[in-house]
Amino acid sequence: MTANETLFDRDNAVGLRNTVQRIVQETPVLDMHTHLYAPAFGELLLWGIDELLTYHYLVAEFFLASDMPYDAFWALDKKAQADAIWKTLFVDHSPISEACRGVITVLDRLGLDPGARDLEGYRAWFAAQTPEAQVDRTFKTANISAAVMTNDPFDTLERPVWEAALKGDPRFLAALRIDPLLNDWAGSWERLKGWGYDVEAALNDKTLAEVQRFLSDWLTKMDARYMAVSLPPDFAFPEDSPRAKILAEAVLPAARAHGVPFAMMIGVTRQVNPALRLAGDGVGTSSLAPVEHLCAAFPENKFMVTMLARENQHALCVAARKFRNLLLFGCWWFLNNPSLIEEMTRMRLELLGPSVVPQHSDARVLEQVIYKWAHSREIITRVLRHKYADLVEAGWRISEAEIQRDVKQLLGGNFEKFVG
Ligand code: HDL
Ligand code: ZN
């Protein structure tokens, strides 16, 4: 701490509050889990008002407020679906939900007047943009430095883009997503065989070695920052199952060889209502036992974990206190709401200090990073103000540079350090 630095103590509460607010707003975020794609991925990059309005979170809410039959909605084209959602959730009802408010924040931050409720006017504005310019504008408005994509070699649309080895965009980092491999080995091993890996249904040594080669090839091809999987509430390890065997004998060795973390997103019950399609997934509570076992049994591996059930958040914080190879991240999906983000961020800072990744956006539509980060920055600011106020009230003195250091860690530094 240099002599002439601004020092905050219990007598300078207002200065402290304003400084925290400014620093959180001004510090760029590295958004470490999204479903965005660089413009080179073409149609895979979703953007614009009709994509924002047909976000699967809003589709689920639409069906609650409308008696339109599921099939009738799915038979509509994108614009007609957006019209139905706009009328039902924004005009016929007040757009109070977090996903609805998000659309309004996006319009407002892009300089369009949401109060005008002028959907055709918004459409005209978005139609005049290009994807590349919209990425520039959105990243600047949201103040994010980079976004980590979710890259799935089993995705028939995405795979050819990687095989064309298009020039990357440094603002879009890759993460290798391997749900089919770990959650549906029976349905995916023949695809690996078709891609030239000498695998068979039986998870013998040869097959496991070839699975590891497949992972290594894609980690290299993508320059992936980490590997990731989403897992059901009853995820167990150790367990006598294809998932456990592939995880222990192919995935974790590949992660060690490449020095990348393995991210587990635990607690999703896929397709509890298939009629909702992408909006049809649910949540269940999980045990922390597999996480604790993996962190203890594989000390050379790095694990990032987020859990979907609110009920699991405290136990996850406690587990993160036990293992330096475990990094907790984000307020995932059904937890990405102000009341729960605040509860979780307070719990995490109180139990773990500034060592966590408090948030990721999970954005599927480009402009969502504007609202997801505007809303989360507001809450992170509120919590940090209280925590620093508690500190100086206890007699500590803190400098602006130290607050800047802490916020940089929370909004990207902890992730970057953990992935190496
Ligand atoms: O599995 C995941 O990565 C989830 O985030 C799902 O993509 C989910 O549909 C989602 O978008 N949640 O925000
Ligand atoms: Zn996601």
Side-chain angles (χ1 to χ4, degrees):
M1 200 178 298
T2 57
N4 59 355
E5 261 189 315
T6 313
L7 268 190
F8 295 104
D9 58 19
R10 57 168 63 104
D11 301 328
N12 188 353
V14 173
L16 177 56
R17 285 171 55 83
N18 296 340
T19 299
V20 172
Q21 163 101 23
R22 175 173 50 78
I23 289 176
V24 173
Q25 289 303 323
E26 291 175 354
T27 303
V29 157
L30 197 169
D31 195 348
M32 51 70 70
H33 172 60
T34 77
H35 297 272
L36 301 182
Y37 290 92
F41 286 82
E43 295 307 303
L44 282 168
L45 169 60
L46 304 180
W47 64 285
I49 185 65
D50 287 324
E51 292 295 351
L52 288 167
L53 286 170
T54 54
Y55 183 35
H56 69 74
Y57 291 28
L58 292 174
V59 170
E61 293 172 32
F62 166 76
F63 282 125
L64 300 179
S66 163
D67 56 10
M68 184 186 288
Y70 293 138
D71 291 345
F73 177 81
W74 295 120
L76 299 173
D77 65 21
K78 176 77 71 178
K79 184 172 176 295
Q81 289 178 2
D83 286 337
I85 290 171
W86 175 257
K87 180 176 183 311
T88 303
L89 295 183
F90 291 78
V91 179
D92 296 350
H93 300 78
S94 294
I96 289 172
S97 78
E98 180 62 4
C100 284
R101 178 171 74 112
V103 175
I104 294 164
T105 298
V106 168
L107 293 171
D108 183 52
R109 298 294 172 98
L110 287 174
L112 305 167
D113 174 12
R117 306 189 188 187
D118 177 12
L119 181 52
E120 288 315 317
Y122 308 145
R123 280 179 169 140
W125 183 86
F126 280 96
Q129 314 308 322
T130 63
E132 293 74 12
Q134 196 66 348
V135 167
D136 296 345
R137 177 183 293 109
T138 297
F139 273 47
K140 185 169 180 295
T141 306
N143 193 12
I144 60 172
S145 58
V148 183
M149 303 182 281
T150 296
N151 303 109
D152 178 355
F154 292 88
D155 181 302
T156 47
L157 288 178
E158 180 174 356
R159 202 183 153 74
V161 179
W162 289 107
E163 285 169 338
L166 290 170
K167 185 175 171 312
D169 178 332
R171 296 168 298 180
F172 291 84
L173 307 173
L176 174 56
R177 184 66 178 259
I178 55 173
D179 289 37
L181 194 68
L182 282 176
N183 296 333
D184 181 19
W185 171 248
S188 53
W189 71 269
E190 286 173 295
R191 296 186 69 188
L192 261 72
K193 194 162 185 63
W195 295 329
Y197 297 93
D198 187 10
V199 298
E200 55 189 280
L203 288 166
N204 52 43
D205 290 351
K206 174 181 62 67
T207 292
L208 289 163
E210 284 292 88
V211 169
Q212 185 173 341
R213 185 168 70 88
F214 164 77
L215 294 170
S216 183
D217 289 349
W218 280 94
L219 283 168
T220 304
K221 190 190 294 279
M222 292 177 171
D223 185 22
R225 291 299 183 274
Y226 60 85
M227 269 191 282
V229 68
S230 69
L231 294 163
D234 62 355
F235 167 57
F237 190 96
E239 179 187 59
D240 180 14
S241 68
R243 176 192 289 138
K245 198 163 178 62
I246 296 166
L247 176 53
E249 300 182 41
V251 172
L252 295 185
R256 286 195 298 274
H258 287 256
V260 298
F262 180 58
M264 296 184 284
M265 305 171 73
I266 307 170
V268 52
T269 310
R270 294 291 179 190
Q271 297 299 286
V272 294
N273 182 355
L276 296 185
R277 299 187 183 178
L278 199 55
D281 300 326
V283 59
T285 53
S286 307
S287 164
L288 266 291
V291 172
E292 293 159 346
H293 183 100
L294 284 162
C295 291
F298 299 92
E300 302 309 309
N301 277 94
K302 298 181 284 188
F303 297 93
M304 300 191 309
V305 174
T306 196
M307 297 181 85
L308 192 51
R310 178 193 188 191
E311 296 79 0
N312 287 137
Q313 299 309 318
H314 182 256
L316 176 56
C317 285
V318 173
R321 287 169 60 90
K322 306 304 156 197
F323 300 102
R324 61 166 58 130
N325 61 332
L326 170 57
L327 178 66
L328 169 165
F329 73 93
C331 302
W332 184 27
W333 203 340
F334 307 113
L335 297 168
N336 199 356
N337 303 308
S339 57
L340 299 176
I341 297 168
E342 176 141 5
E343 175 184 280
M344 289 167 66
T345 304
R346 285 183 184 282
M347 189 190 296
R348 288 165 170 179
L349 293 186
E350 288 161 4
L351 277 165
L352 296 161
S355 69
V356 299
V357 177
Q359 187 60 294
H360 67 272
S361 73
D362 232 315
R364 279 180 173 273
V365 181
L366 173 66
E367 296 89 352
Q368 288 175 338
V369 289
I370 293 172
Y371 90 81
K372 287 176 183 265
W373 283 107
H375 296 177
S376 287
R377 273 193 165 99
E378 218 172 279
I379 298 161
I380 291 168
T381 296
R382 187 157 61 239
V383 174
L384 278 177
R385 276 171 159 173
H386 289 164
K387 292 301 150 197
Y388 285 126
D390 291 349
L391 262 186
V392 297
E393 195 43 49
W396 192 250
R397 289 188 289 281
I398 189 163
S399 73
E400 179 167 335
E402 289 171 322
I403 296 169
Q404 179 65 74
R405 171 203 61 196
D406 300 344
V407 171
K408 274 186 179 158
Q409 284 172 355
L410 289 168
L411 298 187
N414 289 339
F415 169 73
E416 287 180 300
K417 181 164 171 258
F418 196 73
V419 300

